[in-house]
Amino acid sequence: MREGLHKIVSSEETIVAISTPLGRSGIGVVRISGDEASTIALRFFRSHSATVVLEHRTAVVGTWFDSADERIDEVVVTFFRAPHSYTGEDAVEISAHGTPLSLKRIVESCRAAGARIAQPGEFTLRAVAHGKLDLLQAEAVRDFIEAQTEQQAKMAMRQLEGSISKRIRPIKEKLVDVIAHLEAGIDFAEDDVQVPANASIAQSIRPLADDLCRLERTFDYGRMLNQGLRLAILGKPNVGKSSLFNRLVAADRAIVTDIPGTTRDVLTETVDMDGVPLRFADTAGVRQTSDQVEKIGVRRTLETLADADLALVVLDGAGSIDDDDRHVLEKAAATALLIVINKSDLPQMIETAALNGARKISVSAKTGQGLSDLRDALRAFLLERKTDLADDLVLTNERQHESVVRAGQAMATAVDALERQVPHEMVLLDLYGAVGALDELTGEVVTEDILDRIFSTFCIGK
Ligand SMILES: Nc1nc2c(ncn2[C@@H]2O[C@H](COP(=O)(O)OP(=O)(O)O)[C@@H](O)[C@H]2O)c(=O)[nH]1
Ligand SMILES: [Mg+2]
C-alpha cells in the first residue's frame, strides 16, 4: 500500500454503496469492496443453479434475500478477486433492477452483515491505496464522470490512461539520478568519488525544468477546458449587453428593455463551443448611480470582471464613445478584452480610432449580424492559449498546477545555487523538494489534506 495511505484505508472494513444514480432505471448496481465482500454476498445471494460459488470475473444469476430470508430481487452477481478488481480488494458487484427501494434493501442487508456505507469516492480512494490508480488518474475518473462536453471526456480519458503520470515519471527518475550523484559525492568525499562539475549538473537539471515548464503552461487551456471559459459581458447601460447575451446563449434569458439599468443581477449561462464550455455572464451596466440596488449590481459586475478570463466590452455603434464607455474600458484594462461594437444595423456614429490595440468586432444583437465573427474571435482566443502539448494532455486543476509550479521552482533554485557554487547539501534540499512536489502530484506521497480535497468532490459509489 502507498505511503501514508495505510493509516487512512483499511480493507478490513468492507464498504458498500449504490453505484448508480438514485432514480428508477433498468438496472441499478450495488458495489461491495473489502475482505468480507464475498462472505457477505454469499450470505444473502442464492444462485439459480445448484452450486453457488463466486468465481473471479464470473457473473452468476440468482436471488438476493434479506436477513429475514425474504426475497428482495432477482440479481446478477459478479465477483472480482483481489487484486484484480477496481479497488484492488475483493469486490462484488450486484446488478439488480433499478428500483431505489430494493437497492437500498440490498445495501441494508450488507450493512447488517458488517459492511459500512462507503464515503464519496471511497472505492476510488481504495484503488489509489492499492496502487491500481495514481492520484492523477483518480482525479481523471472524477472529471470523466463530470464531463459535460466531448472534449472534456476525451481529455479525462487520456489522463485516466496516465498521460500526465507518464510525462512526470522520467523527469523524476532523472532527478533522482542527479540526487544520487550528489549524495555519493558528499558521502564518499574522502574516497575521491568523481562528482561532475556544477555546470554539468545544472545542465542535466535544466531540460527537466523546461519539461515541467511546458507542462505548467497547459494549465491555462486545461482550466478553461475543465471549468469553462469565463466571459464577462460588460458595458454602460443600454448598449445591448443583455440582447447580446441572449443571442450568444441562444435563449431569452435576460430581460431586455430600453430602460437603462434593467439588468441588476449577474446572469450566467453556459454553452458548448467545440467542446469547451463558454460561461457567459450578463452584467449590470457600469455607471455612476445613486440607486441602491443598481449600485450593488455594479459592484457584482466588477467582481464578475475580476474572475473573468475575457471581457467582452460592448459599445453602442450608433452613438459615440463617452465618459461612461471610457470608465468601463478603464475597469476592464487589467483583463484580456474584446471590444464588441453593437447595433451595426443602425447608422454607425462611433469613432473607433480611439480604441487602438484591442480587437474589435462589429455585431448586431438585433439581427444576428457579426455573431459568427464574434464566435471566431472566441475560438482564436482559446487557440492562442492552447500550447503544443495541449492536444495530448493538460493540467486541469489547481492542485496539479500548484505541484508542478512548486517542483519547477525548486529545480530553478537548485540550478541557480549550483551556478553560485552553493554547497551541494543545500542544492540537495531543493532537489528533494522538487521530487516531493512531483510525488504529491502523482500521489506517491499523500497527506490527508490532499485526499480530502480530492475525494470530497466525488459522488458516492465511485
Ligand atoms: N437597433 C438595435 N437595437 C438594439 C440592439 N441590441 C440591443 N438593442 C436595443 O437596445 C436597448 C437596450 O438593450 P439591452 O440588451 O437591454 O441593453 P443592456 O442594458 O446593455 O443590457 C433595447 O431597446 C434593445 O432592443 C441592436 O443590435 N440593434
Ligand atoms: Mg441588461
Side-chain angles (χ1 to χ4, degrees):
M1 200 179 280
R2 274 166 205 263
E3 196 181 327
L5 271 173
H6 54 278
K7 285 189 290 231
I8 303 158
V9 177
S10 155
S11 359
E12 284 161 24
E13 271 191 300
T14 296
I15 52 172
V16 62
I18 301 173
S19 284
T20 39
L22 265 191
R24 276 151 230 294
S25 55
I27 295 173
V29 175
V30 172
R31 188 145 58 162
I32 320 174
S33 181
D35 292 348
E36 295 295 311
S38 62
T39 314
I40 291 172
L42 285 172
R43 197 164 142 197
F44 303 108
F45 175 67
R46 247 164 270 159
S47 162
H48 285 174
S49 60
T51 47
V52 194
V53 270
L54 290 181
E55 267 178 72
H56 178 53
R57 282 186 185 154
T58 307
V60 190
V61 186
T63 309
W64 196 276
F65 294 83
D66 69 7
S67 331
D69 225 23
E70 196 181 314
R71 312 163 86 81
I72 297 181
D73 195 3
E74 300 298 300
V75 299
V76 177
V77 165
T78 315
F79 175 58
F80 301 89
R81 189 178 298 289
H84 303 290
S85 67
Y86 178 71
T87 54
E89 304 171 341
D90 274 2
V92 173
E93 279 183 18
I94 306 142
S95 302
H97 292 99
T99 320
L101 221 60
S102 55
L103 292 173
K104 280 181 190 156
R105 283 179 72 195
I106 293 173
V107 168
E108 201 38 54
S109 62
C110 296
R111 226 170 60 81
R116 163 171 74 68
I117 306 284
Q119 304 279 329
E122 196 169 2
F123 291 96
T124 306
L125 173 63
R126 289 189 171 199
V128 173
H130 295 292
K132 304 292 286 188
L133 298 173
D134 64 24
L135 265 196
L136 290 162
Q137 289 170 313
E139 284 173 318
V141 167
R142 179 201 51 204
D143 291 349
F144 189 64
I145 292 173
E146 305 259 308
Q148 284 178 331
T149 75
E150 235 172 89
Q151 273 258 50
Q152 291 175 322
K154 258 188 213 159
M155 205 49 87
M157 189 45 92
R158 260 180 233 146
Q159 193 172 320
L160 189 53
E161 285 160 3
S163 57
I164 301 179
S165 319
K166 275 182 206 142
R167 196 127 196 135
I168 294 294
R169 208 168 300 131
I171 299 177
K172 183 187 157 186
E173 277 164 15
K174 286 178 195 148
L175 210 51
V176 170
D177 275 351
V178 174
I179 289 177
H181 271 107
L182 290 180
E183 289 281 16
I186 293 167
D187 288 350
F188 305 105
E190 287 104 60
D191 305 349
D192 269 349
V193 168
Q194 281 287 314
V195 179
N198 278 7
S200 106
I201 302 168
Q203 199 56 36
S204 54
I205 298 172
R206 247 182 237 115
L208 307 179
D210 289 347
D211 254 12
L212 274 191
C213 195
R214 284 180 72 204
L215 190 59
E216 192 269 319
R217 282 202 303 264
T218 64
F219 182 53
D220 212 11
Y221 185 72
R223 189 179 51 71
M224 289 179 199
L225 182 60
N226 201 41
Q227 292 156 39
L229 176 65
R230 290 163 302 184
L231 296 149
I233 302 177
L234 229 56
K236 73 178 175 196
N238 256 3
V239 289
K241 296 177 297 299
S242 296
S243 308
L244 185 67
F245 172 81
N246 286 342
R247 275 272 178 192
L248 287 166
V249 305
D252 252 344
R253 272 279 273 129
I255 300 170
V256 172
T257 72
D258 54 5
I259 306 161
T262 304
T263 309
R264 290 161 162 224
D265 222 339
V266 176
L267 288 182
T268 58
E269 194 71 61
T270 304
V271 291
D272 176 348
M273 188 181 74
D274 309 336
V276 180
L278 303 181
R279 289 165 51 188
F280 288 103
D282 180 26
T283 65
V286 176
R287 65 165 171 181
Q288 304 292 355
T289 174
S290 53
D291 181 298
Q292 279 304 319
V293 182
E294 203 182 342
K295 256 189 189 161
I296 298 171
V298 172
R299 203 185 65 222
R300 291 203 180 149
T301 297
L302 298 179
E303 284 165 8
T304 306
L305 172 65
D307 284 338
D309 297 307
L310 179 67
L312 303 180
V313 176
V314 185
L315 301 174
D316 182 349
S320 47
I321 298 171
D322 61 14
D323 282 347
D324 281 343
D325 293 317
R326 275 188 280 275
H327 179 63
V328 173
L329 284 164
E330 237 167 67
K331 290 280 180 203
T335 311
L337 66 91
L338 197 64
I339 294 178
V340 183
I341 299 171
N342 190 33
K343 309 197 186 181
S344 65
D345 54 291
L346 298 176
Q348 297 296 281
M349 304 293 287
I350 196 165
E351 272 289 341
T352 55
L355 306 168
N356 42 15
R359 178 112 207 253
K360 296 175 273 290
I361 290 167
S362 178
V363 305
S364 166
K366 187 174 175 186
T367 65
Q369 184 274 324
L371 259 103
S372 62
D373 294 342
L374 179 52
R375 287 203 185 86
D376 284 345
L378 298 181
R379 239 174 235 123
F381 177 82
L382 275 169
L383 222 55
E384 279 163 24
R385 269 140 200 90
K386 197 167 171 178
T387 62
D388 53 342
L389 264 187
D391 266 329
D392 302 322
L393 81 178
V394 290
L395 299 178
T396 48
N397 64 47
E398 291 292 346
R399 184 194 79 83
Q400 298 168 0
H401 184 242
E402 259 169 41
S403 303
V404 171
V405 167
R406 206 145 32 84
Q409 279 169 349
M411 284 191 214
T413 316
V415 168
D416 184 58
L418 284 163
E419 278 164 355
R420 290 188 295 112
Q421 312 299 326
V422 169
H424 285 180
E425 280 89 344
M426 305 298 282
V427 176
L428 276 166
L429 285 183
D430 291 320
L431 295 180
Y432 279 121
V435 170
L438 295 181
D439 280 346
E440 266 185 30
L441 175 66
T442 54
E444 214 70 47
V445 175
V446 293
T447 62
E448 237 172 294
D449 175 48
I450 292 179
L451 292 177
D452 274 353
R453 262 170 80 181
I454 297 175
F455 289 96
S456 60
T457 59
F458 267 74
C459 43
I460 290 196
K462 189 62 213 177

